[in-house]
Amino acid sequence: MEYVNPLTGFRVDGRRPNEMRQLKGEVGVVARADGSALFEMGNTRVIAAVYGPREIQNRGQQVNSNEALVRCEYRMAEFSTGDRRRKPKGDRRSTEISLVIRQTMEASILTHLMPRSQIDIFVQVLQADGGTRSACINAATLALADAGIPMRDIVTSCSAGYLCSTPLLDLNYIEDSAGGPDVTVGILTKMDKVTLLQMDAKLPMDTFENVMDLAIEGCKAIATYIREVLLENTKRLECQRGKINGLKLLKIDPTMDITHCLKDMLVE
């Protein structure tokens, strides 16, 4: 199978080698969580929920009482992979990805500001089409920001692979299943610090550097998008507060028809 058309240079899904899938993010999707987010990378859809900081439930799990305990649980919904082979709950891959996400998030969270407390991060893959690990990290970042957890920088993740002698950004399921080498990277974008680096095959050093640089560029593009989502959410909240305060300050004359005034203030 040709994963990159030799004549046009396009991939199987119509993207260029250095082109990402469409991104979509939304915060506040779980009402009872302290912070939550839905994040999509193409057809991969992930939901994340954050609870905390709160009192530690099991003090035996805390190693350092001067820092917050970060816990993470990763799951894949049984319907997320369609006809592909289902994996049992608590399988080795889920445990490994839970650990990867936790360690990546710990590099960003200012745990020393929340001693003797715990932060729980739950991520679930609703629809899988490659890049689930990166999508979970990006969703967790949005959820942590939505919960108001102090972070030194936002951490984002993206993968890149090497197929048909071509570095490819943000692999989908078909490309990821081709068996070629791929690199998953997580970075603190403003600090330019790598917090996650995983590769499942060997690559020559010069090729590896090209693939990794491509993944880092993807991480930076995702960081830009996440900041836009957070900024838009902040503006929306400020607008809502302004409307509420406006209603409180509104002087009502019993003889005045305020219907139009209320509509102008409440309708976005």
Side-chain angles (χ1 to χ4, degrees), residues 109-145:
I109 299 172
L110 296 172
T111 55
H112 66 279
L113 298 181
M114 299 162 286
R116 296 178 294 279
S117 63
Q118 78 177 42
I119 299 170
D120 295 316
I121 304 172
F122 298 92
V123 289
Q124 185 164 28
V125 179
L126 303 179
Q127 185 168 290
D129 187 33
T132 56
R133 193 168 317 197
S134 293
C136 287
I137 291 172
N138 298 327
T141 294
L142 269 176
L144 286 169

Side-chain angles (χ1 to χ4, degrees), residues 226-237:
I226 284 179
R227 290 191 182 98
E228 291 175 355
V229 172
L230 294 175
L231 180 60
E232 184 66 27
N233 183 63
T234 301
K235 290 180 178 178
R236 179 177 59 84
L237 293 176

